[in-house]
Amino acid sequence: MLSHILLSPWAPFMPPAKSDFAGSLDTLYGFIWWTMAFFFVIIVFLLFYLPYKYRRGDKPTLTPRITHNLALELTWSGIPALLIIVIAFWGFNLFVKAYVPPGGDVTEINVTGKQWAWSFEHKDGTVIPGELHVPVGRPVKLVMSSTDVIHSFFIPDFRVKSDVVPGRYSSIWFTPKEVGDHQVFCTEYCGDSHSAMLATVHVVTEEQYKETLENGGLPKEAPPAQRGALIYQRAGCVTCHTVDGVRLVGPTFKGIFGRTEQLVGGGSLTVDENYIRESILQPQAKIVAGFEGQQMPSFQGVLNDRQIGWIIEYLKTLK
Amino acid sequence: MTADAHAAHHHEDFYVEGGKGIWSWLTTLDHKRIGLMYLWSVLLFFFVGGMLALTIRLELMNPGKDFLTAKQYNEVFTLHGAIMIFLFLIPAIPAALGNFVLPLLLGAKDVAFPRLNLASYYIYVLGGIFMIYAIWMGRVDTGWTFYTPYSVKASSAVIPMVLGVFIIGFSSIFTGLNFIATIHKMRTPGMTWSKMPLFCWGMYATSLIQVLATPVLGITLVLLTMEKVWHIGLFDPERGGDPVLFQHFFWFYSHPAVYIMILPGMAVISEVIPTFSQKHIFGYKAIGFSSVAIAILGFLVWGHHMFVATQSQLASIIFSAITYLIGIPSAIKVFNWLATMYKGSVQLKTPMLYALSFIFLFTIGGLTGIFLACLAVDIHLTDTYFVVAHFHYVMMGGNAIGFLAGLHYWWPKMFGRMYNEKLAQIACALVFIGFNGTFLPQFVMGSRGMPRRYYDYLPEFHTMHMLSTMGSWVLALGFFLMAGYLLASLRVGAKAADNPWLGLTLEWQTASPPPLHNFEKQPIPKVGPYDYGYPVHEPKRVPGLGGKEIVHGTGD
Amino acid sequence: MAQEINRLPVTHGAHHEEEHSPFLQHHFASMDQQFEAGKLGMWIFLVTEVLLFGGLFGGYALMFSYHPAAFHEGHHHLDVKLGAINTVILIFSSLTMALAVRAAQTSNKQALIKYLIITFACACGFLVVKYFEYSHKIHEGLLPGTYYHYIHQTTPSDPHIGTYFAFYFMMTGVHGLHVIAGMSAIAWVLWRSLKGHFDRNYHAPVEITGLYWHLVDLIWIYLFPLLYLVR
């Protein structure tokens, strides 16, 4: 188990370094780690040795009156100060690099955070919720904003993070080193399903990237309902609506199609294609009784008509 | 000396002399009684906050839902944070212990403004009631930081919560104001600034922050309330406001507040270590000035909470640089405490064990702070469990352990009774082991990328969460044992000597517990607070309290 | 430091009478010490007040830089004349407060009472003017935040004008609360003056109330141009 945690003896406990920046950051992290470990060992040694060595017998003894020692005090202020200066400048330097992408061929992707899902808009207009596809070996810049509260976009394997703030844009960049999948977390507390606001980064080859954009991030040959199921996961529907009958923030999807629902403000309706479509695009139009005050965000501009169609097909399968 | 003091008693202790009955307590102007009322109140809230902490750990033992929903979990961690910070950590040492011992240490009869002191207690209680009302209304799930715009959209129960914090702020301001005036004007003749015990220096630095930072928090919370009620468009981006502005306002207070929490812990340790080493403190001036330096620098680093919050890079670099600077006075203190034990006569009684735990835990807290001060590394570590572990090492390992050191150190003075030393040492060991068991795994998972404030987590973090939860049980066991022997000591504890630890500061020169007006006659400090032992180049016993009487003092 | 020790009188004959002053609280050694402590306490409190308003000023400055047009438009709705009258009233009351302190120091009971009454009356005048201003604003719908609905103009020319009025009401409102607090303090001092408590040996409450009142005036002197004269 320890070997799993201690991937790198130089940078203890860090996740695998999967971007160029991650490698240089780990060098700094390791330098701090071992410097601090050195001081820690000295202090803890003294902490155990001094009380033992000078332990009291039956009665307190007279102790020498040592009030201060300027040379010693200057030494133990000066040495940490020097080390700190090294760490500080090293840190400043990398920090600036972390947020300023290199010029040239940078793939820009727009990221939108909302309670509680991420969606990614590629340059050709393809919007893929919950899954970030990026080409390997090229710098990628994410331009991020939020539609509701503050979120934070964090990819541990790339060592990048930035808050995602409503009403302004923030950005991060990284150059993935190899093909593979990486976890994305939301790291700014954003409400009930904060811990479910996850996404996956798929680092793929240049060809696969093109292909993915063409298919909207979905498997080529999958039937509509299966595609709908994927979107249900990725667009974050899953964070509020279960498919097993458990009530979360919103009504469960189990048996939703054809169900008769009581509405807030009286009246009822039978859930059909049009109601589902309306609820996705204008969630506040007709609210099911018992769910007053829940602020489901609109998916206008995130899901297109084809994607909504697949979701409807999926919901039909949930008996 | 002690025998003489007993013989010279003309007064009963303040429990008797101040009158009996609940009314004599509720209307008391005696700093000792107000300190004790604060003490029981903060302990009560510490218990509540602690139970919430155990609830959090229990829920996190396994991924997914155990017994709380996500909503409930979010409310629990919000309340845990708010209660621990505003109702326990901030008042624990200054308002509870400080109120009791500060005038004694200064040789004063009381604080400068006794009525203001009592008022500050009732304001604290009122603020607590508001917060409890908010809990009863339900749905306060913003985190103790009340970040906008989430808090603007959140339920209206946030308003009484925020007002509760606002009210408690005034209690804190009044305590700080009182202490500054007391330290300036109430010192007994002969106690110059440089003869003042370091606890008083620590209180002075703390009070400066309380007075200068808390008003800004107050107005920030008023603005937040107005944003919720009037939608004034200051913090809400939907109305042209700036949500990050709230973070600047909030941390302008709340970062200095971190030093309101840690400086008193350091202040206690600076008393306990010389006494139990029977040795002059090493670097009196360095420790005193470093407290004030930390207090001042503490005002200039609030932006280090926002390195990834879209603040400008230049601002981040400046805040980071000043943050490192705080590391230096902190390191100086640790080395000074260690050097004080050198060639001392060290006795490992419970307060001293807590003091040593403090150094261990605070060192971890401080050293991990360097990771977070480092801009580039902070990108990865901020908002993860690394931060959670870091601030628990500083806040709990620093403030709470410092509070326990002080509580055990001054317990005989406050109640005139000794606790069971053996049980106390066992409890101290349990707290130490449990604390490290709870929070060391959190550093590991934090580095691995586990975000904070997560109700659910990926299976790869399961082992560490499990370890952390089991650590919290050991910690809880230690605290329950402590509650047991401390309460028992009030009934069955041996009578405490006036000076059980052979201290030189003035509180040990009066009875345990002290009379109503603290001293039989105006105390004149003949020697400095740390004049143990004899001069290095002059191997003679200094007259008075410094040498001879220490050796022959009535020990434990 | 030596001076400080000397100031704590242990056996000073000259202070003997003061030590038995009925207004000496038990925990102070002398009237001097009590007065010094009280004054220091008030100065510290004034610092906290400045910081409290500092937060409001900070928010105002930022919002002004975000939405300058709204703030310019907002101030046109304020009556500069009424604001100026209130400024004069407060400055005058500061003067009478200072004279009251002087009167206490010279044991002039008659003058002390007179000046305190004038100061109190000025404070009342200030609040009356404020009352007319507030009711006018409320009547016209010049209200904070989303409550803004100016009755003479259905659509506001700037969407953020509610922010301006939020600051107007918060700043003047918090200041108004301070005026009321100051009036309570003045009333208390006045009551004690009538009972003849103050003379040249004991007048700390008058001085300390005076300090507070000067701060209340000073804050208004900043508020007036910020809110009424903004350009």
Side-chain angles (χ1 to χ4, degrees):
Chain A
M1 202 206 83
L2 203 64
S3 64
H4 170 70
I5 292 167
L6 270 173
L7 282 173
S8 145
W10 173 250
F13 313 129
M14 286 297 246
K18 294 295 185 185
S19 73
D20 293 350
F21 175 75
S24 39
L25 185 96
D26 282 8
T27 314
L28 171 57
Y29 171 90
F31 177 76
I32 302 177
W33 211 96
W34 291 108
T35 311
M36 296 305 135
F38 172 73
F39 280 103
F40 182 66
V41 167
I42 292 178
I43 289 170
V44 171
F45 169 74
L46 292 173
L47 196 58
F48 282 91
Y49 173 75
L50 291 172
Y52 173 75
K53 165 89 178 162
Y54 301 107
R55 66 192 179 279
R56 189 182 297 181
D58 294 339
K59 277 190 173 171
T61 48
L62 284 180
T63 54
R65 196 183 137 89
I66 308 170
T67 57
H68 62 284
N69 182 329
L70 190 64
L72 191 60
E73 289 176 82
L74 285 178
T75 312
W76 70 43
S77 321
I79 293 177
L82 285 177
L83 277 167
I84 272 174
I85 290 172
V86 173
I87 292 169
F89 278 92
W90 195 341
F92 296 161
N93 192 15
L94 266 186
F95 178 71
V96 174
K97 280 188 189 154
Y99 287 108
V100 181
D105 188 18
V106 179
T107 310
E108 266 198 28
I109 299 168
N110 289 330
V111 180
T112 306
K114 66 171 165 224
Q115 290 167 321
W116 292 280
W118 299 102
S119 70
F120 304 94
E121 187 187 9
H122 294 261
K123 265 285 151 289
D124 65 349
T126 309
V127 177
I128 305 176
E131 311 252 307
L132 172 59
H133 299 262
V134 294
V136 69
R138 266 206 288 151
V140 175
K141 182 182 177 190
L142 303 182
V143 178
M144 311 188 290
S145 191
S146 161
T147 57
D148 38 43
V149 299
I150 300 179
H151 302 281
S152 190
F153 193 86
F154 177 35
I155 312 172
D157 289 353
F158 297 162
R159 317 280 190 272
V160 289
K161 181 187 287 146
S162 175
D163 280 7
V164 178
V165 182
R168 66 168 73 168
Y169 294 99
S170 53
S171 70
I172 53 175
W173 75 277
F174 49 85
T175 307
K177 276 203 294 205
E178 54 199 78
V179 170
D181 292 350
H182 307 286
Q183 185 65 46
V184 174
F185 293 111
C186 173
T187 47
E188 186 65 66
Y189 173 70
C190 59
D192 292 349
S193 298
H194 169 52
S195 62
M197 191 165 164
L198 308 174
T200 309
V201 185
H202 298 291
V203 181
V204 294
T205 60
E206 203 73 43
E207 297 76 49
Q208 283 170 320
Y209 180 63
K210 284 204 181 98
E211 201 178 306
T212 304
L213 293 192
E214 279 162 20
N215 290 303
L218 295 169
K220 236 187 210 169
E221 308 292 337
Q226 193 186 331
R227 293 174 172 216
L230 279 170
I231 292 172
Y232 162 80
Q233 296 281 346
R234 295 175 186 174
C237 317
V238 62
T239 56
C240 303
H241 304 275
T242 63
V243 294
D244 57 4
V246 175
R247 179 194 163 123
L248 289 181
V249 179
T252 180
F253 283 166
K254 188 180 184 189
I256 192 169
F257 197 83
R259 187 161 70 200
T260 305
E261 298 277 29
Q262 301 299 321
L263 295 180
V264 170
S268 65
L269 59 71
T270 302
V271 177
D272 59 5
E273 285 89 344
N274 282 321
Y275 177 64
I276 294 172
R277 186 172 189 282
E278 182 187 61
S279 295
I280 291 173
L281 299 178
Q282 294 158 272
Q284 304 305 323
K286 298 191 185 83
I287 297 173
V288 174
F291 295 91
E292 295 88 346
Q294 298 298 352
Q295 299 286 324
M296 173 171 162
S298 165
F299 284 76
Q300 190 90 48
V302 176
L303 298 176
N304 59 29
D305 283 349
R306 274 171 66 204
Q307 290 168 317
I308 291 171
W310 295 333
I311 288 177
I312 292 170
E313 290 309 311
Y314 171 57
L315 295 189
K316 284 178 182 169
T317 66
L318 300 171
K319 296 299 177 202
Chain B
M1 163 82 196
T2 325
D4 289 351
H6 274 300
H9 267 181
H10 303 299
H11 292 92
E12 296 281 356
D13 65 49
F14 73 96
Y15 290 101
V16 178
E17 207 183 336
K20 294 257 177 193
I22 186 86
W23 194 244
S24 73
W25 281 82
L26 294 178
T27 59
T28 184
L29 297 180
D30 180 2
H31 68 99
K32 298 182 287 302
R33 290 192 174 207
I34 296 171
L36 289 177
M37 293 199 291
Y38 260 119
L39 180 67
W40 296 117
S41 310
V42 298
L43 288 175
L44 174 74
F45 284 116
F46 182 62
F47 174 75
V48 175
M51 295 316 280
L52 292 167
L54 287 175
T55 312
I56 294 173
R57 281 313 329 158
L58 204 55
E59 171 59 43
L60 288 176
M61 187 160 75
N62 298 304
K65 180 178 170 171
D66 288 334
F67 62 100
L68 293 176
T69 64
K71 259 184 203 180
Q72 289 165 336
Y73 173 81
N74 294 340
E75 289 176 45
V76 169
F77 82 65
T78 299
L79 295 179
H80 165 71
I83 288 175
M84 282 299 199
I85 287 176
F86 296 114
L87 293 169
F88 172 69
L89 288 173
I90 289 178
I93 296 180
L97 298 181
N99 244 325
F100 195 100
V101 299
L102 181 77
L104 289 168
L105 283 166
L106 294 172
K109 285 184 185 165
D110 208 319
V111 292
F113 312 115
R115 275 185 293 235
L116 189 69
N117 201 15
L118 183 65
S120 99
Y121 175 72
Y122 283 115
I123 292 169
Y124 168 81
V125 171
L126 182 70
I129 289 171
F130 263 81
M131 286 174 73
I132 289 164
Y133 174 70
I135 296 168
W136 177 74
M137 268 177 79
R139 285 304 274 143
V140 182
D141 66 344
T142 56
W144 77 277
T145 48
F146 308 113
Y147 268 20
T148 54
Y150 187 79
S151 56
V152 176
K153 294 169 193 279
S155 92
S156 54
V158 171
I159 293 173
M161 190 72 167
V162 158
L163 289 180
V165 175
F166 173 78
I167 292 166
I168 291 166
F170 279 95
S171 141
S172 182
I173 290 175
F174 289 158
T175 302
L177 189 158
N178 220 334
F179 282 9
I180 294 177
T182 305
I183 291 169
H184 269 277
K185 302 294 178 192
M186 306 295 283
R187 283 170 290 132
T188 192
M191 181 171 289
T192 57
W193 284 93
S194 58
K195 275 194 182 169
M196 211 163 65
L198 285 164
F199 182 79
C200 306
W201 275 104
M203 283 299 114
Y204 190 75
T206 308
S207 302
L208 280 180
I209 311 175
Q210 285 180 306
V211 163
L212 295 177
T214 318
V216 180
L217 176 75
I219 202 67
T220 306
L221 296 178
V222 169
L223 289 169
L224 176 60
T225 307
M226 290 297 118
E227 185 72 77
K228 280 184 83 72
V229 177
W230 286 349
H231 310 288
I232 60 176
L234 181 64
F235 299 133
D236 188 351
E238 282 173 24
R239 299 179 202 285
D242 183 352
V244 181
L245 177 67
F246 177 83
Q247 297 178 26
H248 280 287
F249 270 53
F250 182 81
W251 289 115
F252 182 84
Y253 163 78
S254 293
H255 195 77
V258 169
Y259 300 104
I260 297 179
M261 298 180 242
I262 189 65
L263 284 171
M266 295 169 159
V268 172
I269 303 310
S270 303
E271 294 302 319
V272 171
I273 287 184
T275 305
F276 284 91
S277 305
Q278 288 293 304
K279 188 159 164 292
H280 196 287
I281 187 95
F282 186 91
Y284 173 91
K285 281 189 181 151
I287 294 181
F289 287 143
S290 63
S291 291
V292 180
I294 290 173
I296 294 167
L297 289 173
F299 277 96
L300 306 173
V301 298
W302 78 88
H304 72 210
H305 294 266
M306 295 145 65
F307 287 158
V308 302
T310 71
Q311 97 187 330
S312 85
Q313 287 205 329
L314 181 64
S316 291
I317 286 173
I318 293 167
F319 283 125
S320 162
I322 306 172
T323 304
Y324 287 114
L325 285 183
I326 291 190
I328 294 169
S330 310
I332 289 174
K333 279 178 191 269
V334 169
F335 288 124
N336 279 318
W337 293 323
L338 290 172
T340 302
M341 291 190 288
Y342 172 71
K343 292 200 171 172
S345 177
V346 180
Q347 189 186 28
L348 293 178
K349 292 270 182 166
T350 311
M352 186 62 170
L353 289 175
Y354 277 111
L356 298 180
S357 305
F358 175 97
I359 297 180
F360 184 92
L361 302 175
F362 177 71
T363 299
I364 296 182
L367 293 177
T368 51
I370 298 291
F371 288 80
L372 298 170
C374 181
L375 280 175
V377 177
D378 186 69
I379 299 174
H380 179 70
L381 294 178
T382 190
D383 286 324
T384 69
Y385 264 75
F386 193 92
V387 174
V388 176
H390 162 73
F391 71 70
H392 278 93
Y393 267 91
V394 181
M395 297 291 85
M396 188 167 174
N399 184 302
I401 299 294
F403 171 72
L404 293 178
L407 188 67
H408 286 83
Y409 183 58
W410 285 304
W411 187 268
K413 185 57 59 184
M414 290 193 283
F415 299 103
R417 302 278 189 168
M418 302 301 290
Y419 43 82
N420 183 315
E421 179 66 25
K422 192 157 280 172
L423 289 179
Q425 297 194 358
I426 294 170
C428 179
L430 287 174
V431 167
F432 182 78
I433 295 165
F435 182 86
N436 285 300
T438 310
F439 294 105
L440 274 180
Q442 298 190 359
F443 281 122
V444 176
M445 58 179 150
S447 288
R448 297 285 299 172
M450 170 75 207
R452 64 190 288 203
R453 295 176 165 179
Y454 261 32
Y455 162 70
D456 194 5
Y457 52 85
L458 301 180
E460 60 173 296
F461 300 115
H462 192 181
T463 317
M464 289 297 143
H465 272 296
M466 185 87 102
L467 287 173
S468 181
T469 302
M470 294 198 276
S472 72
W473 297 338
V474 179
L475 192 53
L477 192 64
F479 278 115
F480 282 118
L481 178 59
M482 188 187 306
Y485 71 73
L486 283 182
L487 291 175
S489 83
L490 295 179
R491 287 202 164 271
V492 302
K495 185 138 180 31
D498 288 352
N499 189 359
W501 320 122
L502 309 180
L504 285 187
T505 39
L506 290 178
E507 83 274 33
W508 304 115
Q509 316 306 326
T510 186
S512 298
L516 181 61
H517 292 170
N518 293 349
F519 298 93
E520 291 299 327
K521 56 182 181 199
Q522 181 88 295
I524 309 286
K526 294 194 200 88
V527 293
Y530 307 112
D531 283 338
Y532 301 97
Y534 52 87
V536 148
H537 301 296
E538 203 184 330
K540 274 187 294 183
R541 291 171 179 182
V542 289
L545 294 170
K548 196 175 172 188
E549 295 190 1
I550 295 294
V551 181
H552 300 294
T554 53
D556 30 320
Chain C
M1 267 162 227
Q3 283 173 340
E4 296 224 25
I5 302 163
N6 290 341
R7 205 188 300 149
L8 301 168
V10 187
T11 50
H12 279 280
H15 290 269
H16 194 70
E17 280 169 61
E18 287 182 12
E19 283 182 43
H20 291 94
S21 163
F23 302 112
L24 177 64
Q25 291 173 281
H26 81 87
H27 59 293
F28 288 112
S30 70
M31 292 302 281
D32 260 4
Q33 189 193 20
Q34 176 171 321
F35 176 54
E36 293 283 318
K39 208 158 80 170
L40 178 67
M42 180 47 82
W43 274 109
I44 300 168
F45 184 68
L46 296 187
V47 171
T48 71
E49 293 280 31
V50 168
L51 285 157
L52 186 89
F53 277 94
L56 282 172
F57 286 137
Y60 175 95
L62 204 83
M63 285 300 109
F64 182 69
S65 71
Y66 278 24
H67 319 296
F71 277 60
H72 283 146
E73 190 189 327
H75 102 276
H76 285 298
H77 293 293
L78 300 192
D79 191 332
V80 182
K81 232 179 284 163
L82 289 179
I85 290 171
N86 258 350
T87 310
V88 172
I89 290 177
L90 278 193
I91 291 174
F92 181 69
S93 77
S94 246
L95 175 70
T96 56
M97 191 71 224
L99 289 169
V101 173
R102 180 78 200 133
Q105 283 167 346
T106 52
S107 298
N108 189 342
K109 186 181 165 189
Q110 236 65 52
L112 171 64
I113 291 167
K114 180 176 79 187
Y115 287 126
L116 284 177
I117 289 174
I118 298 174
T119 311
F120 190 86
C122 285
C124 290
F126 177 88
L127 286 184
V128 168
V129 173
K130 206 82 236 151
Y131 168 78
F132 282 116
E133 284 192 86
Y134 269 25
S135 49
H136 182 68
K137 302 276 172 313
I138 293 166
H139 173 73
E140 291 202 313
L142 298 168
L143 291 172
T146 44
Y147 294 94
Y148 179 88
H149 61 278
Y150 186 39
I151 49 173
H152 302 301
Q153 186 187 2
T154 39
T155 47
S157 41
D158 192 300
H160 301 297
I161 191 160
T163 305
Y164 172 82
F165 278 101
F167 274 96
Y168 169 77
F169 278 104
M170 284 190 298
M171 292 167 113
T172 56
V174 175
H175 178 260
L177 290 177
H178 282 76
V179 171
I180 293 168
M183 285 167 68
S184 324
I186 293 169
W188 171 68
V189 168
L190 180 59
W191 178 71
R192 292 191 62 181
S193 312
L194 290 168
K195 291 180 79 177
H197 285 181
F198 303 123
D199 56 23
R200 76 169 65 80
N201 291 322
Y202 175 66
H203 50 264
V206 189
E207 273 213 53
I208 290 168
T209 304
L211 277 178
Y212 180 78
W213 190 249
H214 293 317
L215 180 88
V216 172
D217 297 350
L218 188 70
I219 288 169
W220 178 258
I221 288 173
Y222 281 94
L223 288 182
F224 174 61
L226 276 183
L227 293 168
Y228 290 77
L229 306 177
V230 56
R231 274 194 210 292

